[in-house]
Amino acid sequence: MTSHNLSNRTVASGRVHDVDALRGIALLGILVVNITFMASAYPGNLVQSPAFSTPIDDIARFTVAALFSMKFYLLFSFLFGYSFVLQLQSARRAGRAFVPRILRRLGGLFVLGALSLFLFSGDILSTYAVVGLILLAMHRVRDVVALRTAAVIFAVVLVSFIISALFLDRSAFVPGHAEAMANAEAQTQTMLGSFSGLVQQNLDGLEFMVIQSASLQGPMALAMFLLGMVAARRRLFADLAERTSLLRRVQLVGYPVGLAGGFAYAALGAHSDTMAAAISVATSPFLAAAYVASLLRLLHSPRLSWLRRALAPAGRLALTNYLAHAVIGFVLFTGVGLGLAGRVSPPLLVLLAVVVFVAQTVVSAWWLQRHRYGPAEYLLRVVTHGGRPPRRTEPGTE
């Protein structure tokens, strides 16, 4: 089968390779952001570590904030909604009831997310599982209703941040700089201590995580779920050769708006500043869309057809690779592992994220030559379908 035939269509298994490749890139972007929170408690307290204050450190932090923060989370959420429709279509082809299957799947995601809190407090799986229930309740709505709902969600979140920035006193809710620095230092030391102490710290931060999920991550995820659902219904990734002008327009609008917003967000202090967060909410979807358009054009370039094949395995094992991030961060940074918390500079963290992702793409490709599913995907599939699918790849299949 030629690369053209595989370019944007599903093969025997029904898998869309573009979705897998995009999901792989989203994993890299999420890791670049998350690894900073795994490496010390300073980012979580909205302050910078005094150990890393060189211009190179500042450039690395600025780059991550401007080009990565929230953008790849939105892309990952969009692809969740897109895959939701693919799962619905798969259930219909198999003649199976969709709602019980997706409820079991969301339940499995919630449990995996809850368990990952023992390793990393920044999990999104539980949020996805809860918000996925709303997506399930809305999965029969017309496209126009889904699009309008997504627009309203974005507007409500944006207005709430603007009102907070203009009229609310952050000092009533957020510790001052000196207190935040002291908290960050103490929490980083806890990361270097015992496993029980680390777990207790993660549990202590659960209330803040729930508030953040309810006020920002959850609503933004739902909006992107709905956009992904509509995109899948309209077969956005089909016949991309005929959509070149659309992709180009997305780039022409998305990059100026998204980059301007990203740079403003980073320059104003990222999430330590409420107005900066509002700017990010308003502009991150534009940059995320521009990223998607650029990646799709690259993936379908004759000279770069190998890129889709290289990225797709990591995306097919997205759940396994995402959970592996927490394990890797736990081993590298906590006192139970190598104890590197607070000792790795921002530029090295970015480099480390890239190295980890490259290793995951290689291991994912190797694994899929021998197995149909990744370990976490297999477990979730057992929960979803209530049975044990074949583990190994048969000759002639994907």
Side-chain angles (χ1 to χ4, degrees), residues 1-126:
M1 186 174 290
T2 66
S3 61
H4 173 75
N5 291 333
L6 286 174
S7 64
N8 49 44
R9 303 297 298 174
T10 59
V11 289
S13 67
R15 178 163 294 280
V16 178
H17 293 283
D18 287 335
V19 174
D20 290 329
L22 290 173
R23 193 182 289 114
I25 286 292
L27 280 171
L28 171 59
I30 288 174
L31 179 57
V32 168
V33 175
N34 281 352
I35 200 169
T36 64
F37 293 87
M38 296 176 183
S40 81
Y42 286 91
N45 283 278
L46 306 180
V47 291
Q48 298 179 5
S49 171
F52 304 109
S53 56
T54 69
I56 295 178
D57 296 325
D58 292 337
I59 290 172
R61 278 189 286 255
F62 187 96
T63 300
V64 171
L67 302 182
F68 291 86
S69 291
M70 193 179 288
K71 287 75 174 175
F72 290 92
Y73 169 74
L74 294 179
L75 173 55
F76 207 60
S77 301
F78 173 86
L79 295 173
F80 184 97
Y82 200 103
S83 297
F84 179 91
V85 175
L86 300 184
Q87 293 159 17
L88 172 61
Q89 295 170 347
S90 176
R92 288 174 176 170
R93 287 194 300 268
R96 302 285 183 85
F98 174 67
V99 172
R101 290 175 72 173
I102 199 65
L103 284 175
R104 290 193 295 269
R105 184 178 185 86
L106 293 175
L109 281 178
F110 185 87
V111 171
L112 288 172
L115 291 175
S116 72
L117 285 174
F118 288 96
L119 304 179
F120 175 52
S121 61
D123 170 70
I124 62 170
L125 296 181
S126 296

Side-chain angles (χ1 to χ4, degrees), residues 38-41 188-189 191-192 332-335 338-344:
M38 296 176 183
S40 81
T188 300
Q189 290 304 311
M191 292 174 64
L192 296 171
L332 289 176
F333 300 113
T334 71
L338 299 180
L340 297 178
R343 303 179 184 179
V344 184

